[in-house]
Amino acid sequence: MSLMIPGWMVGEPTSTAISSFNSYASAVEARLDQQHRSEGAFFPLAPPASLNEQRLRREEMIIEQLTPRTSADFSGALLHHWRGTTFVPEAKAADFEQLLRNFNSYPQHFSPQVLQARILTQRGDHLQIFMRVQQKHVITVVMDTTYDIAFGRLDAQHGYSTSRSTSISEIEATGTHRERALKSNEEHGFLWRLNTYWSYEERNGGLYLQVESISLSRRIPVGLGWALRPYVESVPRESLEFTLRSARNAIQK
C-alpha cells in the first residue's frame, strides 16, 4: 500500500488524543465489567428490546453506532465506536470460546482481513497476539498489529474477552522485495488504536454474540475528504460487520 498525498503523512497521535481515547475506553470497560458480573445484566439489547430480540431470532445482525456526538478533545484524531449483535441457533458458548482462542485458524475464518496470526506469549487466560491484517476500501492498507487479550467467564453459558492494541504499524509494498514497516513519521494514521470487546451468552437454544469496537484514526484534513473519507468513515463499521458475520459463519460449520 502506498498513498502519497501531500500533507497526509502525520505520524503518531498526540498525547491528548491518546489520553482521551484511554479515558473513553476505561468508561466502556467499566460498563462491560458491570454487565459481566450478573446473568440478568450480561447481555442487554438496545431498545426496543422485544423487537430486537425478534430480529435476532430471525438471524439478523443489529449494528449500532455508539460514537458520541460530542466528546472530549481528540486533538486531530477521530473516535469510532460500533457494536454488533447476532444470534446463532444451536451454537454453544464453549464452541465460540474455542474459536476465539484458536488464533492459528484466524487467517482461515477471518480471511481476507486477517492474513497472519500467532500467539507471542500466554499466561492462562492472558495472551499477547500478533496479527497481520488488511483493509480494502478503494485503497488497500496492510498493518502489523499486536494485541493484549484477556478471556473471562461468568459461568459455562456466559463468557467475554477484551482485546487492546499495543502496536500498529503500516506495511508498504507487501509481498515484494521492497516490503517494509513505515516509520512513525511516514504513517498515514488510518488506525492508531483498536480495542475489541466480545460478550457471548448461551440461551434459548443458541448463542447470542455481541462485539464492540473502539478505534482511533487521524482526523481527515481539509481538502482531502474526497479521497480519504470513504476509507476512514466506512472501514470501522464494515470491519465490525465482517468480523461478526465471519464468527457466526465459523461456528455454524
Side-chain angles (χ1 to χ4, degrees):
M1 178 278 299
S2 181
L3 184 62
M4 304 303 294
I5 297 178
W8 173 250
M9 298 295 193
V10 65
E12 290 294 306
T14 66
S15 58
T16 300
I18 294 173
S19 178
S20 296
F21 178 83
N22 290 341
S23 295
Y24 187 86
S26 294
V28 171
E29 291 175 13
R31 167 176 56 81
L32 290 170
D33 184 60
Q34 285 294 112
Q35 288 179 203
H36 295 155
R37 291 182 182 182
S38 66
E39 181 177 334
F42 195 90
F43 206 98
L45 294 178
S50 59
L51 178 60
N52 282 328
E53 177 75 32
Q54 294 174 24
R55 293 176 60 193
L56 291 173
R57 297 304 294 273
R58 292 195 298 266
E59 299 185 47
E60 294 183 34
M61 288 199 310
I62 298 174
I63 306 297
E64 307 165 76
Q65 184 175 21
L66 304 182
T67 311
R69 292 176 180 267
T70 58
S71 58
D73 178 14
F74 280 86
S75 184
L78 287 174
L79 175 74
H80 313 271
H81 186 182
W82 291 87
R83 178 167 64 194
T85 310
T86 193
F87 176 76
V88 189
E90 301 181 7
K92 304 293 184 182
D95 296 333
F96 183 63
E97 182 173 332
Q98 182 178 18
L99 171 69
L100 283 185
R101 288 175 175 268
N102 188 6
F103 293 98
N104 290 336
S105 72
Y106 275 32
Q108 172 188 350
H109 296 306
F110 299 99
S111 174
Q113 282 197 4
V114 179
L115 302 176
Q116 302 173 26
R118 65 177 183 271
I119 297 174
L120 300 176
T121 64
Q122 180 172 3
R123 293 183 179 179
D125 291 329
H126 189 185
L127 303 91
Q128 303 286 332
I129 303 299
F130 165 84
M131 282 194 283
R132 172 166 286 192
V133 300
Q134 71 172 356
Q135 295 287 352
K136 292 184 177 182
H137 194 105
V138 181
I139 60 175
T140 298
V141 179
V142 176
M143 290 169 281
D144 282 353
T145 62
T146 59
Y147 300 92
D148 185 288
I149 299 177
F151 293 93
R153 300 175 205 83
L154 177 63
D155 53 38
Q157 287 74 44
H158 299 80
Y160 54 91
S161 72
T162 297
S163 171
R164 305 181 186 94
S165 64
T166 54
S167 71
I168 298 175
S169 299
E170 293 179 43
I171 306 300
E172 184 178 60
T174 309
T176 74
H177 69 280
R178 296 186 296 106
E179 178 179 310
R180 70 183 183 97
L182 295 180
K183 298 177 182 178
S184 61
N185 63 347
E186 296 177 310
E187 293 186 335
H188 301 87
F190 291 119
L191 183 64
W192 279 327
R193 297 290 187 275
L194 174 61
N195 290 6
T196 305
Y197 309 97
W198 282 100
S199 302
Y200 47 101
E201 178 178 30
E202 183 182 332
R203 62 179 170 88
N204 293 339
L207 189 66
Y208 292 83
L209 301 178
Q210 191 168 83
V211 59
E212 290 191 40
S213 69
I214 306 172
S215 57
L216 189 72
S217 68
R218 187 196 174 179
R219 188 177 298 277
I220 303 168
V222 175
L224 293 182
W226 62 272
L228 302 169
R229 182 168 286 108
Y231 187 94
V232 172
E233 294 186 350
S234 299
V235 163
R237 173 180 180 142
E238 291 177 2
S239 180
L240 179 133
E241 287 189 65
F242 173 85
T243 299
L244 186 60
R245 183 179 297 107
S246 298
R248 183 176 67 184
N249 292 341
I251 58 176
Q252 283 181 318
K253 292 181 179 179

